[in-house]
Amino acid sequence: MKPAFPSIQRIAYEGVNSKNSLAFKHYNAEEIVAGKAMRDHLRFAVVYWHSFRGTGSDPFGAGTMQRPWDDGSQSVRNAQRRVRAAFEFISKLGAPYYCWHDRDVAPEGKTLAETNRNLDAVAEVLKAEQQRTGIKLLWGTANLFSHPRYVHGASTSCNAEIFAYAAAQVKKALEVTHVLGGAGYTFWGGREGYQTLLNTDLKREQEHLAKFLHLAVAHKQAIGFKGQFYIEPKPKEPTKHQYDSDAAACLNFLREYDLLPHFKLNIETNHATLAGHTVQHELEVAGAAGALGSIDANTGDELLGWDTDQFPTNIYLTTYTMLTVLKYGGFKTGGVNFDAKVRRESFEPIDLFYAHIGGMDAFARGLKIAAAIRQDGRLAEFVMQRYASWDAGLGAKIEAGKTTFRELEAYVLKRGEADANVSGRQEYLENLINEFI
Ligand code: XLS
Ligand code: NI
Ligand code: NI
């Protein structure tokens, strides 16, 4: 096969003084930051669906992407050729991982059996390309939302036959992920939600979702797959309400149905925004519960209220993200997965490189800045001091659960008034962050 990106060489690290738009200025895979190589901190992954299946179509217009290696057909041969183009891209970029949905990598057939055969035929090429290049699978997932059969959802469909179809599809996607040595498997809600409560039995649908995830855990154990399971919160879109709406809702659902030991969260930046949160908030909520698993890195647009999935270039965003990731001990099985697409207007193949180089450099800067802020220690020290009243005496006693309302009332009656509060110093802290940006 002819190279898909003939004019591009392997993207090199050239440092901050380089003017080469096809070089990294900050991402230096081998460089040690906070005791670990940048490659191992960030664990970048390229998303197959946006970068190799995205057409650039929107509700007002057709696709625009120029992808010369793709003949536009639904053939298995075309799907296999596309895999080779994708691996040429990922290895020239120097990203260590990639992620897929079953239906992005292989075409759907007329029956489930034919579809599974198509997936196997493409998975063989995926495996060969993984071995040839050393690129690994960060996670696999099943597309349970595009086909019209999933119009009312998959595991939360009102039709039990659809639950069965979705189960069969996830069974196969899990097995292929296992064969390809995936480090994880993601469940994103797709259409698991509702458009109107008038036709929806919410309690029953949530129970079905939990049943589905338990069956997936059982199958994971049956085939000996050791990868991490993730749930990816998103509040809406395509449905009016998605059941896995934000990190707190997901954690509550997982706890209620005894699923928490089997799942971590895959937090996506633009989904956090849609939920009315910052990504740092979502990461903190996940981290505090010991469930921070992986990140779908992208960003939205302040003026567009939907999941625009743009590549992240904002240094504050990547700094705050990496501050929280480092705080909770870094990624174990997860990574920074670019669930992002080039703009419809950026239709040339080379734009895929510009987009990923920019995202990787932005995260490398975020990582270095976050590590420097932690090394400096003033931020953490400030937060520690702010809670000093809990470290001894009264506070320590309350935290240890060794007091009562009656005793606390007696304490305050004796003192007459509580100690004065001290300033929260938000502006001072914002200035401190800016010292490092
Ligand atoms: C959609 C989701 C999707 C998942 C994988 O908004 O982000 O791309 O990451 O199914
Ligand atoms: Ni998304
Ligand atoms: Ni995502």
Side-chain angles (χ1 to χ4, degrees), residues 49-50 101 139 141-142 145 186 188 232 234 237 266 268 271 296 298 307 309 337 339:
W49 52 97
H50 287 316
H101 292 101
W139 48 260
T141 186
F145 44 89
T186 292
W188 168 60
E232 182 177 324
K234 183 174 182 178
E237 208 188 83
N266 178 40
E268 178 163 326
H271 296 179
D296 268 11
N298 58 23
D307 196 6
D309 290 330
N337 174 48
D339 193 359

Side-chain angles (χ1 to χ4, degrees), residues 69-375:
W69 55 85
D70 196 313
D71 66 15
S73 77
Q74 288 299 314
S75 73
V76 169
R77 188 176 278 271
N78 188 37
Q80 291 172 324
R81 198 170 36 239
R82 196 188 288 125
V83 168
R84 298 194 180 95
F87 274 78
E88 180 189 331
F89 172 77
I90 304 167
S91 55
K92 284 183 168 171
L93 182 68
Y97 293 96
Y98 76 114
C99 294
W100 49 247
H101 292 101
D102 49 2
R103 302 296 176 259
D104 324 308
V105 286
E108 182 130 4
K110 287 197 191 61
T111 62
L112 182 64
E114 184 185 333
T115 305
N116 287 349
R117 280 197 299 276
N118 291 351
L119 185 52
D120 285 335
V122 177
E124 264 177 43
V125 183
L126 288 168
K127 189 164 192 184
E129 288 294 285
Q130 285 185 204
Q131 278 162 355
R132 184 180 67 78
T133 59
I135 292 161
K136 300 197 197 76
L137 179 61
L138 189 69
W139 48 260
T141 186
N143 179 331
L144 303 176
F145 44 89
S146 293
H147 194 282
R149 80 174 70 84
Y150 294 124
V151 61
H152 299 304
S155 69
T156 65
S157 173
C158 45
N159 178 353
E161 293 264 327
I162 302 301
F163 183 105
Y165 199 105
Q169 194 179 325
V170 169
K171 172 180 178 289
K172 181 69 180 171
L174 269 174
E175 289 164 3
V176 175
T177 301
H178 184 35
V179 165
L180 295 177
Y185 185 90
T186 292
F187 294 83
W188 168 60
R191 295 181 191 273
E192 312 291 33
Y194 60 79
Q195 292 294 0
T196 171
L197 282 170
L198 290 173
N199 64 15
T200 302
D201 186 336
L202 179 141
K203 181 170 163 53
R204 209 166 180 185
E205 290 199 2
Q206 288 191 332
E207 283 167 4
H208 294 166
L209 177 57
K211 178 106 10 202
F212 191 87
L213 296 177
H214 273 293
L215 291 172
V217 169
H219 192 65
K220 172 187 176 178
Q221 286 159 353
I223 62 174
F225 175 53
K226 299 272 185 288
Q228 176 65 51
F229 271 3
Y230 306 108
I231 295 243
E232 182 177 324
K234 183 174 182 178
K236 54 189 162 195
E237 208 188 83
T239 63
K240 173 197 177 82
H241 176 82
Q242 305 262 130
Y243 294 133
D244 45 11
S245 54
D246 67 359
C250 285
L251 290 168
N252 181 57
F253 170 84
L254 292 169
R255 276 197 198 97
E256 181 171 354
Y257 293 102
D258 294 325
L259 286 158
L260 195 53
H262 305 289
F263 287 83
K264 291 200 188 307
L265 300 185
N266 178 40
I267 301 294
E268 178 163 326
T269 324
N270 207 165
H271 296 179
T273 320
L274 290 177
H277 303 308
T278 60
V279 69
Q280 194 187 11
H281 165 89
E282 289 291 85
L283 293 168
E284 282 285 341
V285 170
L292 174 49
S294 199
I295 293 181
D296 268 11
N298 58 23
T299 190
D301 185 299
E302 278 171 23
L303 303 181
L304 297 173
W306 45 291
D307 196 6
T308 56
D309 290 330
Q310 291 169 231
F311 276 84
T313 53
N314 183 317
I315 308 301
Y316 285 96
L317 172 72
T318 58
T319 298
Y320 287 131
T321 298
M322 292 315 297
L323 262 177
T324 305
V325 169
L326 292 179
K327 173 173 160 187
Y328 288 103
F331 297 117
K332 307 281 183 303
T333 51
V336 174
N337 174 48
F338 288 113
D339 193 359
K341 51 187 177 246
V342 288
R343 299 301 84 197
R344 183 171 190 266
E345 300 78 6
S346 307
F347 45 71
E348 294 177 22
I350 198 170
D351 292 307
L352 287 172
F353 278 97
Y354 293 135
H356 284 85
I357 291 169
M360 288 163 79
D361 262 350
F363 264 90
R365 283 180 80 177
L367 167 65
K368 286 190 280 190
I369 294 166
I373 292 170
R374 285 166 60 80
Q375 167 87 25

